[in-house]
Every structure is written in structure tokens, then in C-alpha cells.
Amino acid sequence: MGRRPAALRAAGLALAGALVLGTATVGWAYWHLNHNIRSVDINSALGDDRPARAVTTPSAPVSAAASPLPAGALNILVLGSDSRSGKANRELGGGDSSGARSDTAMVVHIDAGRTRATVVSIPRDTLVTRPSCPLASGGSTSVAYGTMFNSAYAVGGPVCAVKTVESITGVRMDHYIEVDFSGFAELVDALGGVDVTTTQNIDDDESHLHLQAGPHHLDGKQALALARTRHGIGDGSDLGRIGLQQTLVKALLEQLGGTGLLTDPARLYRAADAITAGLTTDTGLDSLGELMRLGQSLKGLTAGHVRTVMMPVVTAPSDHNRVIAKEPAASELWASLR
């Protein structure tokens, strides 16, 4: 009889140890994911000289015990960049922080109710008037006329990218999300790859991507190459690449909806680690809790209810290798998102 209480005590101690270890592991994982995220205080940098915020609608309650989730319309500027230094980014074709570029720019508009969205791609080769932007080091940049859109990020980082987008669209960006090369590739790998169908052959030695027209299952490195390729399709301009990026966005949304991440904690953690490790946000989204809250508010949004379009453009009269906004179509599109 003496052995049984001893055995029970040992089992109890082992269980208590496992619970403590499990709690510590969860706590460490949360801390790790939280500290992966980098942020920029865009609201403080830009102040009040910005477009008005969209009129919000009441929040949608989750349950009687839970805090209500936001349900108002939302505009998010999403940039893909090579701004992070590090071996992984360099191996994938990225640069260091001193050579930062925004390769991809999308304004994601989420309708009130958060069950439908419009993703508007802005060609990096668009000639714009870049406004004066505040610099972290003090002072500000000069206004630049007829300059390439992606120069905003190069000269003033996320703050100038947001201010330039708001200047040319008249639409307030509620949030900012930037994903670097390695973070994007690792996310695709954490999801088990992504299925896409290309409508034409792609033969691009610069991105090392060679695909025949048809269905493909791509790993992270291949998906990144697809998002960046431009020389192996169409006329080699940024406009052809945008079509591929939009196809990839839809495919990733479908992949996220069908992977069963929430029922597989190990895969969920790998995906979360990949997302947060390559992420820079505004200070309104710079915690795991805020990102989870945003994700929960979008649970009714499916790939079938996401519309992808490109800002209407025409060839620039001053340079046939550049484009400018096509009016009044561009202004009408932005007005529909306010």
C-alpha cells in the first residue's frame, strides 16, 4: 500500500511539471512571436495632415463574454520589400536596409462587415508627385514631381510610403503591413506550398523561374520568384508581374482557408513564426494580440469575395517605360474605397 501513494505523488509531480513546462512553453512562444514583429509609429510621424478616417460601423460581438470584434471598413497598405538585412534575404535576392525598395504595393480595402475586400495594386513604375515626408533623423524630404512611386519607400521608409499613397489616392491608410522576402517564402513553406495556375509560359533567368503554362505546386522560393518575375512574361513591364501577384494572393487565401492550421498547433506556430519574423507594421498592429484580433474579424472573408484590380494607368508621355494614373478612372476607383 505504501507504494501506491508514492506512485500517485510521483505521477502528480510529473503532471504538475508537465503543466508548468507547457505553460512556460506557451508563454515563451507568445513572447517570441510578439518580439518578432517590428513596428513604425506612422500616426505620430504624419500627425493630422491626412485624409479623414472612414466612418466606422458598430463592432460585431463574438459572444457575451468576449470583447466585440471591429466590423468597420478598413484600408491597409501592404508592401513587399527587400528592406531587411540578413543572409536569408540576400540569398533570395534582397538587399540590406540601406538599399531598401518596395517591390510590391497593394491597398487592401475591407468593406464594412468585413466579408468582402478589394485589393488594388499600384505599379511601382507609376510616376507620381511624392510629397514632403518627415524623416526619423529629423527634417523632411523635398517634394518630388514626376518621380517613381517606389522611390517614396527608398527615401523615407514606411512613413513616406504611406504619405505618398494617401496623397495620390485621398484614402486614409488605417494600417501598414510590410513583408520581407524571407518571411514570405517561409510562410508559403509553412503552409505546405501553394497551388497556382499560370496562363502562359514563364522563362525568367533573373528570377530563376521557368514554368510551363498550367497548374503548379510551388514552394516558398518558387512562389517568391513568381511574385517578383517580370522579364519572362509579356513585355517585361511591372504590369505583367502584377497579374501574377494577384493570382498568387488569391491562391494563398484559398490555401489559408483549406490547410486546417487551427487544428494543428505545430503548423500554426510555424506559420505564425514565419509571418511575424518577416513583418513590419504600424503601432496599431504591432502585437500578436492585435494581429489575432484583426484575423478574427476577417473570419467571414473568403477568397471568393476578394476582388483584385490594378490602379488604372496609361503610358507616361515623358517616358514610354513608365506609367501615370489614368483619369478619371483612377480617381473614381479610389473614391469608391473611401
Side-chain angles (χ1 to χ4, degrees):
M1 294 293 293
R3 291 182 178 179
R4 188 172 181 183
L8 289 173
R9 282 196 299 273
L13 287 172
L15 178 59
L19 288 173
V20 169
L21 181 61
T23 302
T25 300
V26 170
W28 178 89
Y30 190 92
W31 178 90
H32 173 71
L33 294 175
N34 236 10
H35 281 71
N36 271 347
I37 306 167
R38 301 186 185 186
S39 65
V40 179
D41 192 351
I42 290 172
N43 286 336
S44 293
L46 294 184
D48 296 328
D49 185 20
R50 306 176 64 185
R53 293 183 184 275
V55 177
T56 58
T57 58
S59 299
V62 185
S63 69
S67 299
L69 290 173
L74 206 59
N75 291 299
I76 305 173
L77 176 60
V78 179
L79 293 188
S81 78
D82 65 350
S83 64
R84 298 288 184 82
S85 59
K87 180 180 178 181
N89 275 319
R90 288 194 296 271
E91 289 177 349
L92 291 169
D96 58 29
S97 57
S98 64
R101 296 167 297 179
S102 56
D103 270 11
T104 304
M106 297 179 178
V107 172
V108 179
H109 173 79
I110 302 165
D111 290 355
R114 304 201 176 179
T115 58
R116 293 182 177 275
T118 300
V119 179
V120 185
S121 296
I122 303 176
R124 57 175 287 178
D125 295 338
T126 305
L127 298 181
V128 301
T129 296
R130 189 184 70 227
S132 174
C133 300
L135 296 173
S137 58
S140 59
T141 65
S142 300
V143 176
Y145 301 95
T147 189
M148 282 179 57
F149 166 74
N150 71 337
S151 70
Y153 185 97
V155 302
V159 170
C160 197
V162 169
K163 185 163 187 180
T164 300
V165 169
E166 291 185 343
S167 176
I168 66 177
T169 66
V171 178
R172 170 79 170 237
M173 296 297 110
D174 300 292
H175 290 297
Y176 171 84
I177 295 177
E178 177 188 327
V179 183
D180 70 9
F181 286 177
S182 63
F184 177 81
E186 289 171 11
L187 170 61
V188 173
D189 285 336
L191 294 175
V194 61
D195 296 315
V196 299
T197 298
T198 57
T199 58
Q200 58 184 304
N201 296 338
I202 299 174
D203 189 20
D204 188 350
D205 289 333
E206 291 197 20
S207 65
H208 308 291
L209 187 67
H210 304 278
L211 298 174
Q212 295 295 313
H216 300 278
H217 183 78
L218 306 180
D219 62 19
K221 187 174 182 179
Q222 292 171 317
L224 177 64
L226 183 68
R228 300 191 68 211
T229 190
R230 62 188 294 179
H231 299 291
I233 55 170
D235 61 0
S237 73
D238 193 43
L239 306 187
R241 174 167 61 178
I242 283 175
L244 294 176
Q245 291 171 349
Q246 292 178 340
T247 297
L248 191 55
V249 166
K250 283 288 193 75
L252 282 171
L253 287 172
E254 291 173 356
Q255 188 78 357
L256 281 167
T259 53
L261 278 179
L262 296 180
T263 61
D264 188 338
R267 287 186 67 196
L268 178 61
Y269 176 79
R270 287 197 300 272
D273 193 29
I275 292 172
T276 56
L279 202 64
T280 300
T281 72
D282 67 284
T283 49
L285 289 178
D286 63 352
S287 72
L288 193 59
E290 290 293 342
L291 288 171
M292 289 175 62
R293 186 171 167 81
L294 174 62
Q296 289 168 348
S297 77
L298 300 177
K299 64 182 180 180
L301 179 63
T302 62
H305 288 156
V306 176
R307 179 173 67 114
T308 55
V309 298
M310 184 178 72
M311 181 182 79
V313 295
V314 294
T315 301
S318 60
D319 186 345
H320 73 277
N321 291 316
R322 302 288 180 257
V323 295
I324 57 173
K326 180 181 179 180
E327 297 297 356
S331 292
E332 290 170 352
L333 172 61
W334 298 124
S336 72
L337 306 186
R338 294 187 191 123

